[in-house]
Amino acid sequence: DHFGFKTALSDLVSSVIQPLANRLFRPEFAKKYGLDSHHGFLVEYEPGKDTNLDFHRDDSEITLNLCLGRQFQGGDLYFGGVRCSNCREVPPYSYEEKYVQHEPGVALLHLGAHRHAATSIKKGIRRNLILWCNSSGFRKNKSTKKDCPVWCGARS
């Protein structure tokens, strides 16, 4: 990773994220094939600079979002449904919409396919370590299927 923590992040994936993902998510995302690569980066939100992040899916199977903090107001995370790549534009159902107030020192672990956004920061600075964890086995299997998978929320 571009900021010099590749070994530490690899250890974090193998000793913490992989076991948690095995317990929290459907087997095809992590347990069945394993998380075998990652990409870590930092994001920063501040009034007058980048204040928010638009609705999107991550390029990962599992994402760790660790709030590194400082004091800030706003910048909540909005989640709007898990979607496969074929259904990424299907609007969220009301029961899929959730807001999470991010706090310094708190990490969120979610599927990369769980669409989300960061609402506008009102005051202060919010810094986050983002770690995208990928599975080459999941991606290889996914690329051979054209149908909407059972885990896609658009099937509801």
Side-chain angles (χ1 to χ4, degrees), residues 104-148:
V106 174
L108 296 169
L109 193 66
H110 65 85
L111 295 174
H114 201 157
R115 300 172 309 165
H116 57 283
T119 64
S120 291
I121 191 123
K122 307 289 186 220
K123 184 178 179 183
I125 300 171
R126 189 182 104 192
R127 289 189 179 100
N128 294 70
L129 167 66
I130 308 297
L131 184 59
W132 287 350
C133 305
N134 297 307
S135 169
S136 57
F138 177 83
R139 289 171 182 242
K140 182 178 179 184
N141 186 54
K142 180 176 77 169
S143 68
T144 63
K145 296 184 178 178
K146 303 287 188 252
D147 296 334
C148 188

Side-chain angles (χ1 to χ4, degrees), residues 5-81:
F5 290 103
K6 184 171 185 161
T7 302
L9 294 177
S10 293
D11 290 346
L12 180 66
V13 171
S14 63
S15 63
V16 177
I17 297 172
Q18 180 75 61
L20 283 172
N22 291 350
R23 291 184 177 266
L24 296 173
F25 304 117
R26 294 182 57 87
E28 58 267 38
F29 286 104
K31 188 174 187 177
K32 186 173 183 179
Y33 304 108
L35 299 171
D36 54 15
S37 66
H38 62 78
H39 173 65
F41 56 98
L42 299 171
V43 295
E44 183 175 278
Y45 303 98
E46 181 178 358
K49 295 184 179 179
D50 287 338
T51 59
N52 67 331
L53 183 62
D54 292 335
F55 195 51
H56 67 284
R57 284 174 32 127
D58 292 339
D59 186 19
S60 68
E61 278 61 71
I62 307 292
T63 296
L64 176 79
N65 182 334
L66 172 62
C67 186
L68 299 174
R70 292 211 182 169
Q71 291 194 350
F72 58 88
Q73 293 176 354
D76 292 347
L77 297 176
Y78 163 77
F79 287 91

